[in-house]
């Protein structure tokens, strides 16, 4: 018997499902935004220096090892390291891990920092590829370079952890510029919690358009390229509206790979970084899992105001690659730890975080894409009136823009990094255009990432770096 | 499709649009105002910078005039705070205190009652920077008030400790156990020796954590008169107190009775072994040279490292480590010796 499909009804049901899904997403986001607004308002206009003065002077401030994995980062590495050598922190070491670069990264470091080979004993607590040599700078005794065989970012970080001497380590991207007091800010909650906080992440901002000299941020500005401006808005939203809310309830599953501090002891116990596309997120999920399984009460948090500036892709090609990779990374982490999903043993991580990241962050783009398609089909088949379609479209545009502007407001309440009124006007105008081009593009890229994942494509996808700092 | 009134949707759209536009104008106007305010305050700071400096030198404060608006007060707070971080000495401190007492008290008091946490904290920091001891009664009230957050309480205790307030010892006896060790250290570090002595006299009544930190204070503040207490604690059964006492020995340089640490080199607890190595090195206890050599092959990395470091402190330390590199069969010990020899030569030390 032939099954008669009523396409018109199917379309209506599809539209309803998407409608309710969107309502759910909006409610979750509004909830998180409200939490962020309350939290950030509380610390608005807190003195920039006073709360950290004690930390800077106290011998009880725990030292930190800064790990910078570098693979063919010759262009930006010098500025980055220079910025690290002038941070405000009582005791720290910088360990650059040259992960078998094929360019002149090691030569450049050797020349600029006068490296000499040393015998340094380290504990191989995590398995890594062979370390060929350990170097130390004559100019800066707290600068160490590991030269190792290529093994990927996770392997490089694990090697760095093995060689580090201090109880906390920070993973930093090779081409990031860190603000001078960022470490004090990001470590403050760790130190003041008596080790209850085992990982803490800061904010990442986009450096394109800013003036950076010798690894020092001189002037904050905005790029003139729309694609970069959109990313600025996106980062503000992601960090300020999402993470503050999640962090408050210890639900955070992401500590940005570009800038995060971890307790070495716990990371080693949990097995270090894993070889996966999104090793930063995977580690955080694993830490949460490990804590729950060990039944210890530890926290992973996000601090809004320590800032790390990083270079964003300026071309569609690299941005697309990055987004596809991020989406695959997100899935990898969720899939590896699928046991946690809806599992009450893992508390709020199993019952809220995992479903949130799967149903909203991971499936979101797919549902949105289907929504776009259904909407277009509905208009053509006249199952939805044009007026409704236009109104829905305008509503989503305004909603998106409100959300973006709320993120700008949070920025203003927390960091005030953008100094001019003009900056706000530009960000506002850009946010109005998001629904027209940027949003659909990122949706398509992320769905592409999903498709590639199903097809089993592996690998990194490189980004050609031009370097954010003028040497 | 969806049965929803077009009018309703349109109204929703208008409402959201209104929110968006209001938000945008709020941002723009606020930014503009804040920028202007900052400029004015900075200009005022520049204007008064020299005058405030002269005041701190010779007490001349006529430049202020009668009218102290909020902006002027903020500028003065900024200036005074800058100077309080770079100028020290009882005279300058007294002048800052007098100035703040006369001109800034009302503002600070008002800030302490603000609803927003950050403003209250800023006011507490100002009290510290400007030595505003006359506000102590208000601090007591705040400390006892329900709703005062833990970070405010920590800052208040630090202030009361710095002002040698009579109630501080009682407050510390009943201190909130949620308060971090770091904050406790900071509070106890601010106390003067007499108040600390009061705490030492009732050491056993204090919560354990407070005891640990108090013992560490002996090292940190060089309270050598408490050497007999350290001696007693090292011999006690409680591991954590022993560790803290050893730490105090290391930091204070108080000579230790060498026999007291004899058993620690074989302790199961690696922290005790490490501290024993450190004390033996710091105080160059010849008696334990051989034991340090054994610790070079300890199963814990940090103990091996500490042992190597300790050996190097002896006159013939370099020769001992060299011998290890040549003769030892333990590669861990050898590696550690090589590393510390390299460091000891002064080449690339940490």
């Amino acid at each position: 018997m032939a099954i008669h499909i009523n396409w018109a009804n199917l379309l209506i049901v599809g539209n309803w499902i998407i409608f309710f899904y969107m309502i759910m997403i909006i409610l979750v986001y509004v909830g998180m935004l409200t939490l962020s607004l309350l939290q950030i308002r509380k610390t608005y206009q807190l003195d920039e220096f006073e709360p950290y003065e004690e930390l800077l002077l106290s011998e009880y401030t725990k030292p930190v090892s800064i790990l910078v994995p570098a693979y063919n980062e010759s262009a930006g590495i010098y500025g980055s390291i220079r910025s690290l050598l002038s941070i405000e922190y009582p005791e720290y070491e910088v360990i650059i891990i040259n992960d078998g670069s094929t360019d002149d990264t090691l030569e450049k470091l050797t020349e600029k920092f006068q490296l000499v080979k040393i015998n340094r004993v380290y504990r191989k607590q995590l398995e890594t590829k062979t370390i060929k040599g350990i170097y130390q700078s004559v100019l800066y005794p707290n600068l160490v370079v590991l030269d190792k065989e290529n093994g990927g970012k996770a392997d490089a970080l694990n090697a760095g952890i093995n060689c580090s001497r201090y109880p906390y380590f920070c993973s930093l991207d090779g081409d990031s510029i860190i603000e001078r007091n960022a470490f004090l800010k990001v470590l403050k909650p760790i130190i003041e919690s008596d080790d209850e906080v085992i990982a803490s992440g800061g904010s990442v901002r986009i450096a394109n358009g800013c003036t950076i000299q010798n690894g020092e941020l001189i002037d904050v500005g905005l790029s003139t390229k729309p694609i970069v401006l959109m990313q600025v808005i996106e980062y503000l939203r992601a960090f300020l509206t999402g993470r503050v809310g999640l962090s408050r309830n210890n639900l955070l599953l992401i500590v940005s790979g570009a800038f995060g501090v971890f307790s070495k002891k716990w990371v080693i116990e949990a097995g270090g970084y894993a070889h996966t596309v999104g090793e930063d997120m995977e580690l955080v999920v694993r830490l949460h899992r490990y804590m729950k399984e060990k039944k210890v009460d530890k926290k992973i948090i996000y601090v809004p105001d320590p800032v790390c500036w990083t270079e964003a892709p300026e071309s569609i090609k690299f941005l697309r690659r990055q987004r596809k990779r991020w989406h695959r990374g997100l899935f990898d982490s969720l899939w590896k730890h699928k046991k946690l999903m809806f599992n009450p043993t893992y508390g709020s991580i199993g019952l809220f975080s995992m479903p949130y990241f799967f149903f909203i962050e991971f499936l979101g783009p797919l549902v949105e894409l289907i929504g776009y398609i259904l909407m277009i089909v509905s208009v053509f088949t006249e199952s939805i009136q044009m007026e409704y379609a236009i109104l829905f479209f305008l509503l989503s545009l305004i909603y998106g823009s409100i959300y973006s502007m709320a993120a700008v407001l949070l920025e203003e309440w927390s960091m005030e990094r953008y100094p001019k009124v003009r900056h706000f006007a530009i960000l506002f105008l850009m946010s109005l255009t998001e629904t027209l081009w940027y949003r659909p593009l990122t949706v398509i890229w992320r769905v592409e990432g999903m498709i590639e994942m199903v097809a089993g494509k592996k690998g990194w996808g490189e980004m050609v770096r031009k370097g954010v700092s003028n040497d | 499709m969806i049965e929803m009134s077009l009018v309703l949707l349109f109204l929703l759209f208008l409402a959201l649009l209104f929110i968006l536009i209001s938000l945008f104008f709020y941002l723009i106007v606020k930014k503009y105002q804040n920028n202007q305010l900052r400029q004015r305050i900075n200009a005022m700071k520049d204007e008064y910078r020299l005058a405030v400096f002269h005041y701190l030198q010779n007490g001349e404060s006529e430049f202020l005039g009668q009218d102290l608006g909020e902006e002027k007060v903020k500028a003065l707070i900024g200036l005074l705070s800058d100077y309080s971080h770079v100028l020290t000495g009882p005279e300058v401190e007294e002048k800052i205190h007098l100035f703040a007492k006369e001109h800034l008290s009302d503002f600070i008091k008002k800030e302490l009652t603000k609803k927003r946490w950050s403003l209250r904290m800023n006011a507490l920091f100002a009290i510290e920077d400007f030595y505003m001891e006359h506000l102590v009664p208000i601090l007591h009230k705040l400390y006892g008030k329900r709703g005062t957050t833990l970070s405010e309480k920590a800052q208040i205790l630090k202030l009361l400790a710095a002002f040698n307030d009579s109630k501080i010892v009682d407050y510390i006896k009943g201190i909130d156990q949620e308060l971090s060790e770091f904050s406790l250290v900071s509070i106890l570090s601010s106390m003067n020796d007499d108040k600390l002595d009061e705490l030492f006299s009732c050491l056993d009544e204090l919560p354990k954590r407070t005891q640990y930190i108090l013992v560490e204070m002996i090292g940190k503040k060089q309270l050598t008169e408490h050497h007999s207490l350290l001696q007693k604690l090292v011999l006690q059964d409680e591991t954590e107190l022993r560790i803290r006492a050893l730490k105090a020995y290391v930091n204070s340089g108080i000579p230790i009775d060498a026999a007291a640490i004899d058993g620690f080199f074989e302790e199961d607890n690696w922290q005790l072994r490490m501290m024993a190595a450190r004390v033996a090195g710091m105080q160059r206890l010849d008696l334990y040279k051989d034991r340090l050599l054994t610790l070079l092959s300890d199963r814990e990395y940090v103990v091996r490292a500490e042992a190597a470091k300790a050996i190097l402190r002896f006159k013939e330390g370099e020769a001992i480590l060299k011998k290890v590199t040549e003769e030892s069969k333990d590669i861990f010990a050898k590696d550690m010796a090589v590393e510390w020899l390299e460091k000891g030569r002064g080449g690339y030390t940490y």
Side-chain angles (χ1 to χ4, degrees):
Chain A
M1 195 181 78
I3 300 167
H4 177 72
I5 299 173
N6 185 338
W7 288 104
N9 277 344
L10 201 66
L11 209 57
I12 291 172
V13 172
N15 273 329
W16 271 108
I17 291 174
I18 298 215
F19 180 74
F20 282 115
Y21 178 84
M22 289 296 175
I23 295 285
M24 181 187 78
I25 288 191
I26 288 171
L27 288 179
V28 171
Y29 278 168
V30 167
M32 293 203 306
L33 177 63
T34 313
L35 279 177
S36 297
L37 282 167
L38 292 174
Q39 179 70 20
I40 289 185
R41 180 73 190 174
K42 188 182 147 194
T43 54
Y44 175 43
Q45 288 178 329
L46 183 67
D47 192 278
E48 265 287 296
F49 171 73
E50 297 288 351
Y52 309 101
E53 187 186 7
E54 182 102 46
L55 235 52
L56 197 56
L57 302 173
S58 173
E59 61 194 278
Y60 285 80
T61 304
K62 301 203 169 92
V64 61
S65 302
I66 303 167
L67 311 182
V68 188
Y71 177 71
N72 293 348
E73 303 259 7
S74 175
I77 192 99
Y78 179 65
S80 244
I81 303 304
R82 276 291 300 266
S83 87
L84 286 178
L85 292 168
S86 61
I87 59 168
E88 282 172 1
Y89 202 76
E91 196 179 357
Y92 65 97
E93 62 176 351
V94 179
I95 303 179
I96 307 165
I97 307 108
N98 180 36
D99 191 32
S101 295
T102 50
D103 68 354
D104 62 341
T105 302
L106 186 64
E107 289 73 21
K108 194 163 179 181
L109 290 171
T110 308
E111 179 210 348
K112 296 265 188 190
F113 296 111
Q114 296 190 27
L115 301 180
V116 289
K117 205 164 185 173
I118 55 160
N119 284 306
R120 179 159 170 175
V121 186
Y122 63 90
R123 278 183 290 181
K124 199 167 183 180
Q125 302 192 82
L126 299 165
E127 269 312 310
T128 67
K129 288 269 168 69
T130 315
I131 292 176
K132 294 189 280 186
I134 304 179
Y135 301 82
Q136 190 171 25
S137 165
V138 175
L139 305 173
Y140 307 93
N142 60 341
L143 174 66
V144 174
V145 177
L146 302 187
D147 187 30
K148 66 180 277 292
E149 285 172 9
N150 181 268
K153 191 174 173 187
D155 194 69
L157 286 168
N158 285 340
I161 293 172
N162 279 338
C163 284
S164 64
R165 337 188 126 230
Y166 296 139
Y168 287 89
F169 73 85
C170 170
S171 62
L172 262 190
D173 273 358
D175 200 9
S176 309
I177 299 295
I178 206 97
E179 289 192 1
R180 281 165 59 86
N181 58 4
F183 276 95
L184 280 176
K185 289 182 172 178
V186 86
L187 272 130
K188 188 173 193 273
I190 292 185
I191 293 161
E192 291 190 341
S193 75
D194 294 338
D195 303 328
E196 193 194 357
V197 173
I198 56 162
S200 158
S203 289
V204 178
R205 290 275 179 283
I206 285 170
N208 312 41
C210 301
T211 317
I212 293 166
Q213 243 153 24
N214 280 326
E216 186 96 35
L217 186 78
I218 308 286
D219 187 31
V220 176
L222 284 174
S223 165
T224 49
K225 297 194 170 83
I227 195 167
V228 176
L229 289 171
M230 282 319 314
Q231 291 178 76
V232 170
I233 295 175
E234 228 185 350
Y235 273 55
L236 288 180
R237 262 191 334 229
F239 280 95
L240 293 172
T241 63
R243 296 192 189 181
V244 175
L246 290 172
S247 159
R248 225 188 121 134
N249 300 294
N250 200 23
L251 294 169
L252 197 65
L253 289 190
I254 300 181
V255 167
S256 169
F259 181 34
V261 174
F262 294 85
S263 154
K264 187 163 87 177
K265 171 176 176 268
W266 290 103
V267 169
I268 288 175
E269 276 188 33
Y273 283 95
H275 296 265
T276 166
V277 189
E279 75 292 319
D280 42 356
M281 175 174 183
E282 199 279 333
L283 176 67
V284 175
V285 180
R286 192 144 36 86
L287 281 172
H288 271 302
R289 181 177 178 168
Y290 187 72
M291 295 307 144
K292 294 282 178 196
E293 284 168 1
K294 285 266 162 190
K295 296 195 168 53
V296 281
D297 196 17
K298 299 284 175 187
K299 287 200 175 90
I300 293 173
I301 60 153
Y302 160 71
V303 199
D305 52 345
V307 180
C308 163
W309 298 82
T310 190
E311 184 188 355
E314 291 195 345
S315 75
I316 293 277
K317 185 180 155 196
F318 289 114
L319 184 62
R320 174 171 165 232
R321 229 182 245 186
Q322 182 195 52
R323 292 312 153 96
K324 286 198 291 189
R325 193 181 71 226
W326 283 3
H327 216 62
R328 290 206 324 263
L330 172 63
F331 183 75
D332 263 10
S333 306
L334 295 175
W335 184 250
K336 266 197 167 168
H337 300 283
K338 54 184 178 297
K339 187 183 159 198
L340 276 64
M341 186 77 84
F342 295 120
N343 189 338
T345 323
Y346 295 96
S348 49
I349 294 293
L351 297 177
F352 181 84
S353 287
M354 289 293 283
Y356 164 78
F357 277 94
F358 183 74
F359 289 104
I360 295 186
E361 296 294 336
F362 179 71
L363 283 185
L366 186 65
V367 178
E368 211 173 320
L369 184 67
I370 295 173
Y372 286 138
I373 295 168
L374 283 184
M375 189 64 93
I376 294 167
V377 172
S378 302
V379 170
F380 277 107
T381 56
E382 292 182 358
S383 52
I384 182 169
Q385 290 169 20
M386 196 55 155
E387 294 90 329
Y388 279 104
I390 292 172
L391 258 179
F392 273 120
F393 175 75
L394 286 176
L395 277 174
S396 74
L397 189 146
I398 299 290
Y399 165 76
S401 191
I402 288 181
Y403 207 71
S404 301
M405 282 298 106
V408 174
L409 176 68
L410 287 172
E411 208 287 331
E412 187 60 10
W413 280 356
S414 53
M415 283 154 275
E416 295 185 64
R417 289 292 180 274
Y418 294 97
K420 295 185 178 126
V421 175
R422 188 169 56 89
H423 291 146
F424 285 2
I426 293 172
L427 291 177
F428 172 67
L429 292 175
M430 278 317 294
S431 77
L432 287 175
T433 71
E434 184 178 13
T435 317
L436 297 171
W437 63 287
Y438 189 75
R439 180 95 195 157
L441 275 179
T442 53
V443 163
I444 291 168
W445 294 332
R446 285 184 285 170
V447 173
E448 265 188 83
M450 290 163 104
I451 295 167
E452 280 178 10
M453 204 175 53
V454 175
K457 188 178 168 186
K458 291 256 182 289
W460 273 83
E462 283 165 36
M463 170 169 160
V464 178
R465 297 207 182 266
K466 61 173 192 180
V468 288
S469 172
N470 308 315
D471 280 358
Chain B
M1 185 201 88
I2 297 164
E3 298 295 326
M4 217 181 290
S5 150
L6 204 58
V7 179
L8 205 69
L9 277 181
F10 189 68
L11 285 177
L12 181 65
F13 166 72
L14 285 182
L16 288 181
L17 189 66
F18 175 74
I19 293 175
L20 176 63
I21 290 172
S22 321
L23 184 58
F24 175 62
F25 277 107
Y26 172 77
L27 273 170
I28 294 274
V29 171
K30 195 83 189 154
K31 182 89 213 174
Y32 178 77
Q33 284 178 343
N34 282 348
N35 282 351
Q36 294 290 316
L37 179 70
R38 191 165 304 147
Q39 265 177 21
R40 283 199 301 273
I41 289 179
N42 284 342
M44 263 182 212
K45 275 174 82 174
D46 287 339
E47 191 184 331
Y48 290 119
R49 193 175 301 273
L50 207 61
V52 171
F53 183 72
H54 284 313
Y55 163 77
L56 295 176
Q57 295 283 307
N58 53 33
E60 182 65 57
S61 70
E62 274 168 18
F63 66 95
L64 275 173
Q66 287 304 308
D67 174 38
L68 276 187
E70 193 167 313
E71 285 173 20
K72 204 169 183 179
V73 169
K74 281 183 179 166
L76 289 172
I77 286 180
L79 274 180
L80 221 51
S81 169
D82 292 348
Y83 282 127
S84 78
H85 287 130
V86 289
L87 302 175
T88 48
E91 274 178 38
V92 173
E93 283 174 17
E94 180 60 18
K95 290 217 176 78
I96 291 178
H97 162 73
L98 286 175
F99 187 95
K101 188 176 178 183
E102 195 173 338
H103 303 294
L104 309 177
S105 292
D106 291 341
F107 179 80
I108 299 288
K109 276 189 213 163
K110 208 172 87 196
E111 291 293 285
L112 284 174
T113 59
K114 284 275 163 75
K115 213 175 135 205
R116 204 192 309 152
W117 172 85
S118 54
L119 299 178
R120 298 196 304 268
M121 279 308 280
N122 286 347
L124 290 173
F125 291 134
I127 294 177
E128 184 182 4
D129 282 350
F130 308 151
Y131 321 98
M132 297 170 86
E133 207 175 330
H134 61 285
L135 296 181
V136 160
I138 296 181
L139 294 180
H140 282 298
K141 233 185 257 170
L142 267 180
Y143 187 76
K145 197 173 137 190
R146 262 181 52 190
T148 301
T149 61
L150 200 60
S151 38
E152 285 168 273
K153 280 189 178 171
Q155 184 63 18
I156 292 172
L157 286 178
K158 203 177 144 199
L159 288 169
L160 294 177
F163 297 145
N164 291 320
D165 188 79
S166 57
K167 279 190 183 163
I168 185 72
V169 173
D170 288 333
Y171 282 160
I172 286 176
K173 281 184 192 165
I175 207 160
D176 191 334
Q177 288 304 304
E178 293 276 302
L179 205 70
S180 71
E181 200 163 301
F182 187 86
S183 302
L184 259 176
V185 169
S186 144
I187 293 161
L188 293 187
S189 307
S190 306
M191 288 170 78
N192 71 8
D193 293 359
D194 292 341
K195 290 280 176 244
L196 283 176
D197 283 347
E198 275 184 54
L199 281 176
F200 277 116
S201 66
C202 56
L203 187 72
D204 295 336
E205 296 164 35
L206 297 172
K208 274 285 169 227
R209 234 162 37 114
T210 316
Q211 287 187 22
Y212 301 151
I213 294 164
L214 198 57
V215 172
E216 274 196 38
M217 282 300 135
I218 299 177
K220 194 171 153 58
K221 299 189 111 187
Q222 307 282 321
L223 307 172
T224 45
E225 67 275 19
H226 292 287
H227 62 94
S228 52
L229 175 68
L230 285 186
Q231 215 166 356
K232 199 178 90 194
L233 291 176
V234 167
L235 298 172
Q236 266 194 3
D237 275 345
E238 207 202 314
T239 311
E240 191 57 37
L241 268 178
R242 278 178 173 176
I243 293 171
R244 306 275 177 154
L246 289 175
K247 205 169 165 189
Y249 268 117
V250 170
N251 292 334
S252 65
I254 299 174
I256 194 168
D257 169 18
I261 58 166
D262 190 76
F264 296 165
F265 290 90
E266 282 89 33
E267 266 285 344
D268 283 342
N269 184 308
W270 65 266
Q271 283 158 305
L272 267 178
R273 297 200 300 278
M274 181 189 77
M275 285 315 297
R278 192 176 290 174
V279 174
M282 285 303 285
Q283 310 212 349
R284 297 195 178 86
L285 304 174
D286 277 316
L287 179 67
Y288 294 120
K289 251 189 283 183
D290 290 342
R291 308 283 274 280
L292 287 173
L293 260 175
T294 319
L295 286 190
L296 259 187
S297 300
D298 196 274
R299 59 185 180 278
E300 282 292 333
Y301 171 90
V302 270
V303 179
R304 295 201 297 274
E306 203 58 57
K309 194 170 153 191
I311 291 171
L312 212 55
R313 292 187 66 88
F314 289 96
K315 214 167 74 189
E316 63 285 21
E318 212 174 308
I320 298 175
L321 286 186
K322 216 164 168 195
K323 208 169 153 204
V324 172
T325 63
E326 287 158 1
E327 294 172 10
S328 175
K329 288 193 179 70
D330 178 359
I331 51 164
F332 291 111
K334 242 177 170 168
D335 278 352
M336 198 53 87
V338 169
E339 180 177 343
W340 279 92
L341 271 175
E342 210 167 80
K343 285 182 179 171
R345 285 189 194 113
Y348 316 110
T349 52
Y350 275 80

